[in-house]
Amino acid sequence: MTLNNNVRMPMIGFGTWDIRGEAGKQSILTALDLGYRLIDTAQMYENEYIVGCAVKESGIPREELFLTTKIYRPRTTYQKAKSGIEQSLNELQTDYIDLLLIHEPYKSAPEMYEAFKEALRDGKVRAIGISNFDAEKYKEFVRSCEIIPAVNQVESHVYFPQLELKNLLNSYGTQMQSWASFTEGRKNIFAEPVLKEIGARHGKTSGQIALRYLIQNGIAVIPKSVHRERMAENLAVLDFALTPSEISAISRLNGNSSLFGWY
């Protein structure tokens, strides 16, 4: 996927929410070994350091990787966001961050964004954006942001794909990225009959169908797993396509309601 400043971002990344310690580092190394090149973290996850360690230990050239992190609540002023960016660079043990996001729609998000724009100009960040902004908060933000966010990372899955939000974002030049592609256990997506039936047709699992649905709608994904077999499975979703009737059947799962109370 090409972002609005021509930076290229992988459609499939590896999410690291709740991955910590030595076991967490090994999971990230496994993901990198399997071929993941986008690693998504956040200050809130308290694991930026192990992401940085895994990147170093992998031996993969830094320019081949795409690191995303997010600044959150303790850093909601310009000065604190600025120091937060330095903190993330230090924790990740890198000279630059590929994508830096404001984690939530704070009232002071425009002030934080000033620090983001400065980091972008200084080459410390390659692309900047936001996370968890609904349509109204997004429109309010872009009225005065000067640099249109490259990405808005939001809850998106077959039960709440947020395609209308995606279309709105795209109309301004912002790409959408999904978190909770598998609902984080809020629904048993892997046992969903519609997904299982379509999966059987393609020789794929329910999870692969759920990811393919988002990707085919132009939404990037960052699924998380600590199991090598599942990690590999999540990557193997680019070698088939859903038919229009299959897309239509999956679309009927949309309940138009957040499973996390974000929107």
Side-chain angles (χ1 to χ4, degrees):
M1 153 181 297
T2 302
L3 304 181
N4 60 18
N5 62 349
N6 292 319
V7 167
R8 300 274 289 167
M9 182 179 83
M11 283 295 289
I12 307 172
F14 183 71
T16 65
W17 162 247
D18 210 26
I19 289 178
R20 296 192 178 95
E22 181 62 28
K25 187 184 76 173
Q26 291 304 319
S27 294
I28 298 163
L29 281 166
T30 298
L32 292 169
D33 182 56
L34 286 168
Y36 285 88
R37 290 297 177 264
L38 186 159
I39 307 294
D40 178 274
T41 183
Q43 291 188 352
M44 186 186 286
Y45 303 169
E46 298 179 344
N47 63 9
E48 288 177 316
Y49 181 71
I50 64 165
V51 170
C53 289
V55 165
K56 292 257 186 205
E57 288 182 31
S58 74
I60 298 167
R62 175 66 183 87
E63 62 271 16
E64 292 181 17
L65 299 172
F66 192 102
L67 300 182
T68 300
T69 195
K70 313 172 197 79
I71 307 286
Y72 77 125
R73 201 169 298 108
R75 305 282 191 174
T76 51
T77 66
Y78 161 77
Q79 202 60 50
K80 287 179 179 178
K82 188 172 178 175
S83 65
I85 294 166
E86 293 303 322
Q87 177 188 322
S88 286
L89 288 166
N90 289 334
E91 292 287 311
L92 291 166
Q93 304 155 65
T94 184
D95 295 329
Y96 65 93
I97 294 160
D98 294 278
L99 177 63
L100 182 68
L101 306 177
I102 296 175
H103 207 139
E104 302 163 301
Y106 311 111
K107 283 184 179 178
S108 59
E111 185 182 342
M112 295 174 70
Y113 207 60
E114 290 303 312
F116 281 37
K117 289 187 286 189
E118 190 176 287
L120 183 67
R121 287 191 293 268
D122 291 344
K124 295 177 180 180
V125 178
R126 295 179 67 224
I128 56 177
I130 54 180
S131 182
N132 297 306
F133 279 61
D134 64 17
E136 290 310 308
K137 289 186 173 73
Y138 173 80
K139 284 189 286 188
E140 181 183 346
F141 185 76
V142 296
R143 280 191 204 110
S144 59
C145 68
E146 187 186 351
I147 296 175
I148 297 293
V151 169
N152 185 13
Q153 188 185 109
V154 298
E155 174 190 352
S156 179
H157 43 74
V158 296
Y159 304 106
F160 187 50
Q162 300 215 72
L163 298 184
E164 286 184 11
L165 174 60
K166 182 208 170 274
N167 290 336
L168 171 70
L169 298 175
N170 288 173
S171 73
Y172 283 87
T174 301
Q175 296 284 6
M176 190 159 123
Q177 190 177 47
S178 154
W179 61 260
S181 303
F182 296 140
T183 80
E184 293 182 5
R186 302 295 171 107
K187 274 182 172 283
N188 190 356
I189 201 168
F190 304 108
E192 180 58 58
V194 172
L195 301 179
K196 287 176 73 175
E197 181 187 334
I198 294 171
R201 231 175 277 152
H202 291 277
K204 298 289 183 179
T205 66
S206 300
Q208 287 172 312
I209 299 303
L211 291 179
R212 181 68 206 181
Y213 175 77
L214 296 176
I215 289 169
Q216 212 160 311
N217 275 296
I219 300 168
V221 297
I222 45 170
K224 187 207 91 172
S225 177
V226 295
H227 304 292
R228 186 182 181 95
E229 185 179 306
R230 181 65 64 78
M231 289 183 203
E233 183 182 294
N234 292 342
L235 270 182
V237 293
L238 301 176
D239 58 351
F240 75 104
L242 299 169
T243 67
S245 62
E246 289 169 341
I247 289 277
S248 179
I250 296 168
S251 295
R252 288 195 283 274
L253 295 173
N254 183 9
N256 283 309
S257 179
S258 168
L259 300 181
F260 296 81
W262 271 99
Y263 313 98

